[in-house]
């Protein structure tokens, strides 16, 4: 078996590779998967071993947005540098999934969280940090990513009534599996390992202190991540994971651990908002008028559901808030894209004027 086959390389990726084989720039390249990213340097596993890699000049020149650059989990075409255990990344193979969010703070930009994952483990702990509204956000982004979401509730060994939290998760998850685990006792860990057989890749996503690093160690069967305790006064955690990294599991699965996300702002997930809020959409589609604003209009099924308790006001408020947030991000992103496009053509014009034979 080739080394890359231990990291998810299969017939589907071979077909994607074959589609690029006619590119002359890639003739000297081999396939590799990014295990770790650190300040525009990458650790890449290939059939010839692990290499430290950087981007080619043309790659950097053509890349415009964050998603144009490699991320942990990407498959890339990489060329080995003569006489060194280093490589140059020439291109990225088309992705099968992409989970992203808006960067924290006021800046309107995308942050890539995980790519090419089959499953997204949405991690929440069975303590005061459990937050249904945050879970709603995770679910929407997971559906939009192209991967399958699975909710994982950790720290069962510290919880007297896990079913209370399971019921809350089920109320907003609509058929998404919910697993309760303990990294201390090992309960539920084997069931998660079974989901990742046959070279599947999963990403662990959640806030600081929910037990992602402990779960990574439990799933991998060894201490691959440092673990820190949560604060006793508020059940909130410290940042343990400071980077994204891909690990191999004993059963053949692959795992991407990610830094904790105390703040999770949406990024371009408007299409999946309907999937994450099926209940609200069903009520809205039952309104008498198709342009109902769900306020004081006659025959409004949403207001009727709010009145009789079929839809909670907290759930509907969360839906409205996310709609406004996504609309704002879309407007800002469009403005940024237009600015970037103008800048690109301005630079092209400058480059053309500098060419020999052109009048200045």
């Amino acid at each position: 078996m080739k080394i890359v086959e231990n990291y998810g390389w299969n017939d589907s990726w071979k077909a994607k590779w074959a589609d690029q084989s006619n590119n002359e720039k890639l003739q000297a390249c081999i396939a590799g998967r990014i295990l770790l990213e650190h300040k525009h340097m990458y650790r890449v596993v290939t059939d010839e071993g692990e290499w430290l890699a950087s981007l080619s000049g043309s790659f950097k020149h053509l890349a415009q947005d964050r998603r144009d650059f490699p991320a942990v989990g990407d498959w890339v075409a990489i060329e080995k540098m003569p006489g060194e255990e280093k490589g140059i990344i020439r291109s990225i193979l088309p992705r099968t999934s992409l989970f992203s969010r808006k960067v924290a703070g006021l800046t309107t930009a995308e942050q890539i969280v995980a790519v090419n994952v089959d499953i997204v483990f949405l991690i929440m702990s069975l303590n005061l940090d459990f937050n249904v509204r945050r879970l709603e956000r995770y679910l929407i982004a997971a559906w939009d990513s192209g991967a399958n979401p699975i909710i994982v509730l950790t720290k069962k060994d510290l919880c007297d009534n896990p079913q209370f939290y399971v019921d809350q998760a089920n109320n907003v998850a609509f058929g998404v599996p919910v697993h309760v685990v303990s990294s201390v006792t090992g309960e539920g860990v084997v069931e998660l390992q079974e989901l990742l057989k046959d070279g599947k890749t999963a990403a662990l996503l959640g806030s600081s202190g929910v037990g992602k690093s402990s779960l990574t160690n439990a799933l991998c069967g060894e201490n691959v991540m440092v673990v820190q305790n949560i604060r006793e006064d508020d059940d909130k955690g410290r940042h343990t994971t400071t980077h994204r990294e891909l690990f191999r599991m004993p059963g053949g699965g692959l795992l991407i651990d990610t830094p904790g996300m105390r703040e999770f702002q949406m990024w371009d997930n408007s299409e999946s908002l309907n999937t994450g809020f099926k209940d609200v959409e069903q009520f809205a589609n039952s309104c008498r008028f198709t342009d109902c604003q769900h306020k004081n209009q006659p025959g409004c099924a949403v207001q009727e559901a709010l009145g009789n308790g079929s839809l909670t006001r907290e759930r509907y408020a969360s839906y409205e808030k996310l709609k406004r947030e996504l609309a704002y991000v879309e407007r800002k992103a469009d403005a940024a894209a237009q600015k970037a496009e103008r800048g690109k053509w301005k630079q092209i014009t400058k480059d053309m004027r500098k060419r020999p034979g052109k009048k200045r």
Side-chain angles (χ1 to χ4, degrees), residues 80-85:
K80 188 176 183 181
M81 298 174 66
E84 298 187 64
E85 294 300 312

Side-chain angles (χ1 to χ4, degrees), residues 337-351:
Q338 293 171 7
K339 182 177 180 180
E341 186 70 12
R342 290 195 298 269
K344 181 180 77 173
W345 286 107
K346 188 175 182 180
Q347 185 61 48
I348 290 175
T349 302
K350 284 183 178 179
D351 292 343

Side-chain angles (χ1 to χ4, degrees), residues 184-200:
V184 175
T185 67
E187 184 176 354
V189 172
V190 173
E191 287 79 3
L192 297 184
Q193 290 173 329
E194 289 290 321
L195 295 172
L196 297 180
K197 284 186 173 180
D198 304 319
K200 287 187 173 64

